[in-house]
């Protein structure tokens, strides 16, 4: 449990416009430029297809015989993943902005159904998912140990050697109890 004592309440506020005018204007200009570029790309796609995008200076990459899961940066984007699944073969997906600031659009040329699952493929799939989740849990545990170890600067020389510090909570409680008993 964590307990907090409120010492001071500060009401939420927005800075005066004259202080943040440049930031707001820059953000608005970027949003407008992105919206204009997206509209221009979609109009160009309707008129001339992907070949016409080269006139806009676009880089076109062709991927064949691939799955969406093979491209983690695209599969992690929920809009792109949904658009790829919802778009019929021969159609073009809507345009999306990726995390790295690129405008992404695709034409699905063909769809290949996934092979039927057998016992062995299901087992391999479950083991793969379990390995991924175990890796995530392990890295979260390591991060927690790392942050916990950084709270104890006296142990910093051991931190690199042990790659983490185990803290015996019973000993800490006993130490706290004995030190409070000494004060009485």
């Amino acid at each position: 449990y964590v307990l907090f004592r409120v010492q001071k309440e500060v009401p939420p506020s927005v800075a005066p416009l004259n202080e943040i005018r440049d930031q707001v204007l820059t953000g608005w200009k970027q949003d407008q430029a992105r919206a204009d570029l997206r509209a221009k790309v979609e109009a160009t796609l309707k008129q001339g297809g992907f070949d016409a995008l080269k006139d806009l200076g676009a880089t076109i990459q062709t991927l064949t015989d691939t799955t969406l899961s093979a491209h983690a940066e695209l599969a992690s984007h929920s809009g792109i993943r949904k658009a790829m699944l919802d778009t019929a073969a021969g159609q073009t997906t809507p345009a999306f902005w990726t995390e790295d600031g690129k405008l992404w659009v695709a034409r699905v040329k063909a769809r290949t159904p996934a092979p039927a699952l057998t016992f062995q493929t299901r087992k391999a799939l479950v083991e793969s998912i379990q390995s991924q989740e175990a890796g995530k849990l392990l890295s979260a545990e390591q991060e927690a140990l790392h942050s916990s170890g950084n709270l104890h600067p006296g142990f910093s020389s051991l931190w690199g050697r042990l790659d983490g510090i185990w803290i015996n909570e019973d000993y800490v409680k006993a130490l706290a109890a004995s030190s409070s008993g000494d004060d009485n």
Side-chain angles (χ1 to χ4, degrees):
Y1 295 99
V2 178
L3 298 176
F4 293 99
R5 178 180 293 161
V6 178
Q7 295 178 347
K8 179 173 129 182
E9 283 191 40
V10 179
S13 65
V14 177
L17 183 59
N18 60 357
E19 291 179 16
I20 59 170
R21 179 185 281 298
D22 294 335
Q23 294 171 342
V24 170
L25 190 57
T26 301
W28 180 79
K29 285 180 182 178
Q30 287 177 346
D31 287 346
Q32 288 298 314
R34 288 178 77 162
D36 292 346
L37 179 61
R38 183 176 178 174
K40 192 176 199 178
V41 165
E42 289 175 347
T44 303
L45 280 171
K46 285 180 183 176
Q47 292 176 353
F50 276 87
D51 294 331
L53 288 177
K54 291 179 183 176
D55 297 339
L56 294 176
T59 303
I60 298 175
Q61 182 180 11
T62 302
L63 303 173
T64 57
D65 296 331
T66 187
T67 62
L68 188 59
S69 61
H71 306 282
E73 71 279 358
L74 299 178
S76 64
H77 190 292
S78 61
I80 290 174
R81 190 173 58 245
K82 184 175 181 338
M84 288 296 289
L85 293 172
D86 290 346
T87 303
Q91 299 297 315
T92 303
T93 64
F96 287 95
W97 288 99
T98 61
E99 293 292 324
D100 56 355
K102 295 179 181 176
L103 190 60
W104 178 92
V105 65
R107 179 176 50 218
V108 179
K109 288 188 176 182
R111 293 198 179 277
T112 306
L117 289 176
T118 63
F119 175 77
Q120 294 300 327
T121 55
R122 286 178 192 211
K123 182 180 176 185
L125 181 61
V126 167
E127 288 172 352
S128 170
I129 292 170
Q130 286 175 337
S131 296
Q132 289 174 357
E133 292 302 314
K136 289 178 189 176
L137 289 171
L138 180 61
S139 65
E141 179 72 19
Q142 287 175 335
E143 287 178 27
L145 281 173
H146 183 69
S147 62
S148 175
N150 286 338
L151 295 175
H152 305 283
F155 295 126
S156 62
S157 60
L158 294 174
W159 183 252
R161 293 176 188 249
L162 301 177
D163 195 24
I165 296 174
W166 177 74
I167 299 172
N168 185 341
E169 296 295 335
D170 295 333
Y171 176 74
V172 172
K173 289 176 187 173
L175 185 63
S178 67
S179 66
S180 66
D182 293 339
D183 292 341
N184 292 333

